[in-house]
Amino acid sequence: MAEGDTILRAKHRLADALVGQSIAVATPNPRGRAAGVERLDGRTLEGIDAHGKHLLFDFGDLVLHSHLGMSGGWHVYPRAARWRRPRSSAWVVLGGERQDAVQFGGPTLRVLPASRVAIDPQLARLGPDILAPDLDLDAVVASFRAADQSRTLGDALLDQRLTAGIGNIFKSEACFGARVDPWRPLSQVTDEELRTVLDQARAQMLNAVKAGGRHRFAVYKHRGPCGRCRGPVRHRGQGDANRTTWWCERCQV
Ligand SMILES: [Zn+2]
């Protein structure tokens, strides 16, 4: 699953390869044609924005919106390089001067007028990006406080309306870093604890961006005892979507 850190790295890679260039668009898979992505052919890519798990490609008065979900991915290839997935599964190819950016799979690929981005139902309801340079942590804490306080912390951290970008990995890692039990209902998590958990998520994800994805996890998919206390690391599905949470019962209370 691509979380905010993966998307931010993809943004940097894609921007280096394509921004400021006139883009040749191809849609080898019918899914890309259905999205009408060809309308962008020949336009100049002005910039790329990341918001949580969403990428927005600025083509002037049109925007390409991409979300990778569980299995999608953006690859960047030098022209004529061999791709790691079959061409027929490429939803869209954005061809720059020397490199091609290819989106394979993902739940969202669509073109919308730039004027609609601010009022688009899917985008407008997103909470503040946990990796935004000017993130107002107090505002994020306030939005968690305004949510249903019977929800568990681990479940609420995945709610992209409260804050955008945290997924299953950093939900687990942030709670471990803050030593807070992800199974506590929000009503039993103090503002200070909430702030520490969100701070941990942000700091760890920014580290992962810097490390280029080579990031070691403390509890996520961890085998063997906890590296801090040698207690057992547990995992169990959490929330309505039953997304797996990893935690140390002894360190996290
Ligand atoms: Zn432990």
Side-chain angles (χ1 to χ4, degrees):
M1 175 75 176
E3 301 192 16
D5 61 310
T6 308
I7 295 304
L8 190 55
R9 278 195 297 122
K11 173 195 136 165
H12 293 151
R13 228 171 43 242
L14 291 161
D16 285 348
L18 300 178
V19 164
Q21 300 170 31
S22 163
I23 302 298
V25 175
T27 51
N29 183 284
R31 182 61 181 73
R33 282 194 289 284
V37 188
E38 283 105 336
R39 273 182 290 166
L40 303 172
D41 188 46
R43 283 176 174 249
T44 298
L45 178 61
E46 312 279 355
I48 305 175
D49 252 340
H51 191 110
K53 304 174 187 177
H54 299 257
L55 280 172
L56 298 167
F57 296 75
D58 172 5
F59 284 94
D61 57 351
L62 290 177
V63 168
L64 178 67
H65 172 207
S66 147
H67 184 290
L68 299 174
M70 295 287 189
S71 57
W74 275 103
H75 297 188
V76 176
Y77 297 107
R79 180 86 15 91
R82 180 192 282 268
W83 293 2
R84 283 179 286 130
R85 290 202 207 176
R87 185 173 173 85
S88 60
S89 65
W91 284 10
V92 63
V93 186
L94 301 178
E97 285 156 13
R98 283 188 298 276
Q99 298 180 84
D100 292 318
V102 191
Q103 179 179 335
F104 296 99
T108 303
L109 180 70
R110 60 184 185 137
V111 178
L112 68 165
S115 58
R116 290 205 59 85
V117 169
I119 52 170
D120 181 72
Q122 208 186 337
L123 294 169
R125 68 180 186 198
L126 290 175
D129 183 350
I130 190 73
L131 299 181
D134 56 351
L135 179 71
D136 179 355
L137 214 48
D138 290 334
V140 180
V141 170
S143 73
F144 273 75
R145 281 282 92 100
D148 174 358
Q149 298 298 293
S150 69
R151 292 180 74 180
T152 57
L153 173 61
D155 183 39
L157 285 170
L158 292 186
D159 189 338
Q160 304 296 302
R161 293 167 301 184
L162 301 179
T163 179
I166 300 175
N168 239 20
I169 298 174
F170 288 100
K171 162 191 80 176
S172 299
E173 293 293 314
C175 289
F176 180 80
R179 300 191 180 221
V180 176
D181 180 355
W183 294 91
R184 268 200 246 162
L186 288 178
S187 59
Q188 290 172 29
V189 180
T190 66
D191 283 2
E192 197 46 46
E193 286 171 326
L194 209 41
R195 174 179 271 280
T196 309
V197 169
L198 293 164
D199 235 1
Q200 279 285 330
R202 178 179 166 84
Q204 292 187 26
M205 290 170 82
L206 287 173
N207 274 339
V209 173
K210 257 191 241 152
R214 292 177 304 278
H215 188 82
R216 294 181 72 88
F217 302 120
V219 284
Y220 178 74
K221 292 194 174 171
H222 181 77
R223 291 169 190 277
C226 169
R228 198 151 59 191
C229 75
R230 312 309 291 169
V233 172
R234 303 204 181 281
H235 61 101
R236 180 151 46 99
Q238 184 171 29
D240 291 340
N242 203 34
R243 305 286 311 283
T244 305
T245 295
W246 301 71
W247 82 107
C248 170
E249 242 173 19
R250 221 184 272 172
C251 289
Q252 293 170 260
V253 291

